[in-house]
Amino acid sequence: MSFWTRRKAIDTAGGDAAHALKKTLSWYHLVALGVGAIVGTGIYTLTGVGAGLAGPGVMLSFLIAGAVCACAALCYAELSTMIPASGSAYTYSYVAMGEPVAWFVGWSLILEYTLVCAAVAVGWSAHAQGLFQMAGFPPALLAGPHQGGLVNLPAVIISFAVAGLLALGTKESATVNMVLVVIKIAALAVFVVLCLPAFDASHFTPFMPQGFAAHTAQGTGADGVKVGVMAAASLIFFAFYGFDAVSTAAEETKNPRRDLTIGIVGSMLACTLIYMLVAGVAIGASRAEVFSKSEAPLVFILETLQHPRMAQLVALAAVVALPTVILAFMYGQSRIFFVMARDGLLPPALSRVNRKTGTPVLMTLLTGALSALLSGLLSLKDIAELANAGTLAAFIAVGLSVIILRVRDPQRPRMFSTPLWQVVAPGAILGCLYLFYSLPSKTQRYFLYAHLIGAAVYFLYGVRRSALARAEAGKV
């Protein structure tokens, strides 16, 4: 059999009992995991960045990004209940399209999760710098080389702290995550309540000052900043994904056929409503061209409305709760690494599960180290948009997997069926392609370079050492 045609069987996608993960999660853990991943850096910072690119039309950007993610979420829900194994889009692609495609999807997920962990760690560090300065940390340890420092030590510390929490056990870390998510949602509710009295509908005119389609702003060159509603949507997309991290918890869910659907679809719907509400209230309370210049737009708006103490509390909530995003994505990253190692595409030693905690401790700590390295040395701007490219590739693969399995295996039981899959799955694919096209040209090139490196790793290691390759060799 050629490596091009190697595919996992659906019934064996979860691996053997010796390399199985412990089932400890319920639906409410999954919803909290999804909300923790989605509501984070995006709503605290990207609301302002998106408004700077699209003006009040950023509301439409949120709606478009949310609609594309909703289509992808419905596809995820079908596949996660049909194939209740860890690995997310990587495992679904392995079943539907074969090993080479699965490798590149897994590589895209590694790119996504690692960069998001690093990006949020850098964002957390920016909010927490005052605390570290009060503790006596020198400036050289509070900024990476791009800012004239040695290393962003707060970002390194939070990366290792979250990795350590995850290594202790999935249920324990999920419980802590639920508490922090409640704090985060409470802070956003306070923002909405305080800003509503200042709502001014005239702030929404003109609605799309930069137009709809993504285009390069005048005077910025071929690789310059893209503006417009779709340009904002391609960036805001970063704020929405995270529900895919829920699907990586399939093997650790007590009742995956019911709870995964609730976790994926429930967290996506809840977060879309939260984003639309917060963005609408923000624009109503302050003109987009004003608050878009702030790195902390929600805090800025509260300060301009003469609520300085509540602004400080919202900023503190961000410091306390942003680690939930790192936790969710680091959890997903460690599980992707774990499953790829279990399949032999990465060194098998990385798939070992600790008997006491039921978690892949070595893989979790390695993920934390990788995130710490990137966040300690790179800037937020360097890594955020590249994370979007990896996610868009994974979502496209999920949409394709739904279509392929519907055609190839239509009789297989589906505990959750994507409604109007003939429309929803192609909608997810086309929407993600358009968002990828709307990304900066530089980001698209970096994505290509990263996957050329991935191709080299696969053909030098994985193509001969995968579990399916060894099984084939044993038959000869």
Side-chain angles (χ1 to χ4, degrees), residues 46 49 53 111-112 115-116 119 223-226 231-232 234-238 241 379-392 435-436 438-444 446-447:
L46 291 186
V49 178
L53 298 177
L111 186 69
E112 169 200 344
L115 291 172
V116 171
D223 283 337
V225 177
K226 286 187 176 181
S234 69
L235 176 65
I236 284 170
F237 186 76
F238 176 89
Y241 60 76
S379 71
L380 180 61
K381 185 176 182 298
D382 290 335
I383 53 185
E385 286 181 323
L386 189 54
N388 279 4
T391 306
L392 288 167
L435 288 174
F436 187 90
S438 300
L439 286 170
S441 301
K442 182 173 66 175
T443 301
Q444 295 169 353
Y446 286 166
F447 177 80

Side-chain angles (χ1 to χ4, degrees), residues 206-465:
F207 188 67
M208 293 189 292
Q210 301 292 350
F212 180 80
H215 60 279
T216 303
Q218 292 183 354
T220 58
D223 283 337
V225 177
K226 286 187 176 181
V227 294
V229 169
M230 286 307 302
S234 69
L235 176 65
I236 284 170
F237 186 76
F238 176 89
F240 273 99
Y241 60 76
F243 61 84
D244 56 329
V246 175
S247 67
T248 66
E251 283 187 45
E252 294 161 276
T253 302
K254 295 177 182 177
N255 186 358
R257 298 188 184 279
R258 181 199 66 182
D259 295 347
L260 284 170
T261 301
I262 298 173
I264 293 172
V265 178
S267 62
M268 186 64 231
L269 290 176
C271 292
T272 300
L273 292 174
I274 291 169
Y275 271 127
M276 295 290 290
L277 178 61
V278 172
V281 169
I283 295 171
S286 176
R287 285 200 169 272
E289 61 269 22
V290 176
F291 72 79
S292 65
K293 298 175 182 178
S294 172
E295 293 183 356
L298 304 191
V299 174
F300 172 82
I301 292 170
L302 286 174
E303 288 176 342
T304 59
L305 295 178
Q306 306 302 314
H307 298 297
R309 181 162 296 181
M310 297 311 299
Q312 292 175 354
L313 288 176
V314 170
L316 180 61
V319 172
V320 172
L322 277 181
T324 62
V325 183
I326 306 175
L327 186 148
F329 279 96
M330 194 173 288
Y331 172 89
Q333 165 73 308
S334 65
R335 269 47 179 182
I336 295 297
F337 265 134
F338 166 78
V339 177
M340 293 180 74
R342 186 171 65 183
D343 292 338
L345 294 173
L346 293 174
L350 298 177
S351 67
R352 291 175 184 165
V353 176
N354 183 279
R355 290 184 179 180
K356 183 177 180 180
T357 64
T359 60
V361 173
L362 177 61
M363 194 67 264
T364 301
L365 296 179
L366 181 60
T367 300
L370 188 57
S371 173
L373 177 66
L374 293 173
S375 62
L377 301 177
L378 300 180
S379 71
L380 180 61
K381 185 176 182 298
D382 290 335
I383 53 185
E385 286 181 323
L386 189 54
N388 279 4
T391 306
L392 288 167
F395 284 8
I396 290 170
V398 169
L400 285 171
S401 296
V402 166
I403 294 172
I404 290 170
L405 291 175
R406 284 279 190 163
V407 173
R408 195 172 71 208
D409 199 357
Q411 302 304 318
R412 180 170 286 273
R414 289 168 171 82
M415 298 303 294
F416 175 85
S417 296
T418 302
L420 297 173
W421 68 269
Q422 300 92 334
V423 176
V424 172
I429 295 168
L430 295 174
C432 288
L433 286 172
Y434 190 31
L435 288 174
F436 187 90
Y437 170 77
S438 300
L439 286 170
S441 301
K442 182 173 66 175
T443 301
Q444 295 169 353
R445 287 200 303 272
Y446 286 166
F447 177 80
L448 175 61
Y449 300 154
H451 281 72
L452 288 175
I453 295 172
V457 174
Y458 174 67
F459 286 109
L460 290 174
Y461 182 89
V463 72
R464 291 185 299 273
R465 298 182 181 233

